[in-house]
Amino acid sequence: MAIDFVIRNVKIAGLTEPTDIAFEAGRIAAISPRFVCDAPQHDAGGKFACAGLIETHIHLDKAAIISRCNLCTGTLAEAVSETSRAKAAFTEEDVYARAAAVVGKAILNGTTRLRTFVEIDPRAGFRSFEAIKRLKADYTSLIDIEICAFAQEGLTNDLGTEEMLEQALKAGADMVGGCPYTDPEPVEHIRRIFDLAMRHDVAVDFHLDFDLDPACSNLPVVIAETVARRYQGRVSVGHVTKLSALPPAELESIGRQLAEAGIALTVLPATDLFLTGRNSTHLVPRGVTPAHRLAALGVVTTISTNNILNPFTPFGDVNLMRMANLYANVAQIGTADGLDGVFAMITTQAATLLGRKGYDIAIGSAADIVLFDAPSAADAVATIAPASAGWKNGRRSFLRPRPQLFLDQG
């Protein structure tokens, strides 16, 4: 073997002792303790390694616009309307600059792959789409970016949007997404988004059921369309906060339907906590779907960031480990096994949602490695462990040395 690089003394899931990981031509060539070779090396010092964190649901195009918006009520309706007003003035360069800053932070926090929704409609035009396509190409050596052409403000009520989504899918969008709760005809919205997906043979992702009223759910429609169109394994839904308002028996019933239909689900803890329960004066509901309970039923579940510094979420640092920790707090998960399951939602489960094959630290897999300053996955979630170094396809992508503390010995 012509080994190019070795990470030494690293801890990985499934092994009790530190080991070495050797790269060759951008792939993992060997995993063995005290691997013998004279290639350049990095001593991990016992840090935990994974194949990188994965964002399954983020909006790069409307990140960091909070200073351009008026935040008064903090409601979902206000977030949609304020963002709509702001995006009419977006330029391609503006979107690129804001999105690039977010992507840079994501990489430094250990993210190696993400799915971003990009709003395409008569107000946004194709400006955001063109910016994110350029960003995807420019950052390809550091992170894999998947673009979802997205109808945020409806479809049947927004003339021109459907045709624009069609154009985007022909021009490089990887998939299509819909938002039926903003459409006066949500069922028709869902069907048209599925029609677009099938015409272009791409996956589909819906923002769905974003409130706490368990009635009038659009999830059964998505499930029925998925099965009827034989689209199992190619459909995902985000938010679905209605599920947090269901009693256990009803949650289990819908969870089994999701599992059987092969529909994956993403929870967005920061946004869901910020926007839901606004009408409550006390005992405010959390509004975060219990993904771990659905995972126990066989549903592919993930945790993601959603928005950064905008009316939907006026804070954030693109740190998926922080999102995992936040979810664990909200869901009251504190055992090692439980935290391992939460970690899976930003790694292996997220890879499954995105249809990513070969995501793992295994011989033959891409040499995508991120080190976290913790001894295990559970500890990394519990402590919001910082990412210390990363490699993408065998090439170093970032380095964040551990901070030094200078204690006065005088």
Side-chain angles (χ1 to χ4, degrees):
M1 286 186 283
I3 299 300
D4 303 316
F5 193 81
V6 181
I7 304 176
R8 298 199 180 277
N9 301 316
V10 64
K11 290 186 176 178
I12 62 175
L15 297 180
T16 57
E17 298 298 326
T19 191
D20 300 339
I21 305 172
F23 302 166
E24 180 187 9
R27 309 201 78 79
I28 296 174
I31 301 172
S32 175
R34 295 175 293 279
F35 184 79
V36 178
C37 76
D38 57 3
Q41 61 184 20
H42 175 90
D43 187 350
K47 293 184 176 66
F48 178 76
C50 71
L53 309 183
I54 300 176
E55 288 271 12
T56 58
H57 185 130
I58 194 168
H59 295 262
L60 295 178
D61 56 338
K62 57 191 182 188
I65 61 168
I66 190 65
S67 63
R68 309 176 192 183
C69 302
N70 297 315
L71 194 63
C72 299
T73 62
T75 62
L76 176 60
E78 179 184 69
V80 171
S81 63
E82 281 298 298
T83 302
S84 178
R85 182 180 61 81
K87 75 182 178 185
F90 287 178
T91 67
E92 185 176 330
E93 291 306 316
D94 165 51
V95 173
Y96 184 97
R98 289 184 288 102
V102 171
V103 167
K105 290 179 181 178
I107 294 166
L108 290 171
N109 284 321
T111 298
T112 55
R113 190 178 187 91
L114 63 81
R115 170 182 291 178
T116 183
F117 295 86
V118 179
E119 294 183 23
I120 296 174
D121 55 39
R123 289 156 300 287
F126 293 100
R127 299 183 299 276
S128 296
F129 179 54
E130 293 299 327
I132 302 302
K133 279 202 301 181
R134 183 154 55 95
L135 182 73
K136 174 180 178 177
D138 290 349
Y139 280 72
T140 189
S141 65
L142 299 176
I143 189 169
D144 298 314
I145 296 177
E146 180 177 293
I147 299 174
C148 179
F150 182 54
Q152 169 72 72
E153 297 181 56
L155 204 62
T156 68
N157 57 325
D158 205 5
L159 294 180
T161 296
E162 189 169 355
E163 292 76 11
M164 294 177 74
L165 292 174
E166 187 95 51
Q167 292 180 54
L169 288 165
K170 293 177 180 177
D174 300 294
M175 59 177 300
V176 65
C179 191
Y181 65 76
T182 61
D183 198 308
E185 299 183 48
V187 173
E188 181 63 17
H189 179 112
I190 291 167
R191 288 172 179 161
R192 290 189 187 185
I193 292 295
F194 266 109
D195 287 344
L196 280 167
M198 292 187 72
R199 281 201 297 274
H200 294 272
D201 192 24
V202 296
V204 60
D205 197 322
F206 291 101
H207 291 38
L208 206 66
D209 287 1
F210 200 2
D211 61 63
L212 300 182
D213 180 1
C216 303
S217 171
N218 287 307
L219 188 54
V221 179
V222 172
I223 293 172
E225 290 290 331
T226 299
V227 174
R229 295 167 186 260
R230 298 181 180 178
Y231 237 57
Q232 293 93 332
R234 305 186 74 185
V235 179
S236 45
V237 293
H239 297 294
V240 207
T241 51
K242 283 181 184 289
L243 295 181
S244 71
L246 294 182
E250 292 182 37
L251 179 69
E252 180 175 346
S253 175
I254 197 71
R256 293 194 184 283
Q257 293 177 55
L258 286 169
E260 291 172 6
I263 297 173
L265 180 143
T266 297
V267 295
L268 298 313
T271 302
D272 297 347
L273 284 166
F274 181 73
L275 290 178
T276 58
R278 288 276 172 174
N279 294 327
S280 299
T281 59
H282 59 287
L283 287 179
V284 178
R286 292 166 175 169
V288 177
T289 289
H292 60 293
R293 294 181 185 172
L294 296 171
L297 298 171
V299 181
V300 173
T301 57
T302 74
I303 297 165
S304 204
T305 296
N306 194 39
N307 281 291
I308 299 290
L309 300 173
N310 70 19
F312 293 87
T313 320
F315 31 70
D317 59 357
V318 216
N319 187 338
L320 266 178
M321 198 67 77
R322 190 185 309 283
M323 284 298 107
N325 177 279
L326 176 59
Y327 177 82
N329 270 275
V330 171
Q332 300 174 321
I333 297 170
T335 65
D337 286 348
L339 293 175
D340 282 340
V342 171
F343 182 76
M345 294 185 203
I346 57 173
T347 52
T348 54
Q349 290 282 287
T352 299
L353 185 149
L354 295 189
R356 171 74 185 274
K357 300 184 184 301
Y359 170 88
D360 205 355
I361 297 180
I363 295 174
S365 295
D368 295 350
I369 305 289
V370 175
L371 302 180
F372 288 93
D373 197 359
S376 69
D379 282 298
V381 173
T383 63
I384 316 179
S388 64
W391 292 261
K392 191 84 174 72
N393 294 316
R395 173 184 174 271
R396 190 189 295 273
S397 55
F398 73 92
L399 181 65
R400 293 179 70 173
R402 180 181 290 174
Q404 297 183 54
L405 186 66
F406 297 101
L407 183 64
D408 185 0
Q409 301 291 333

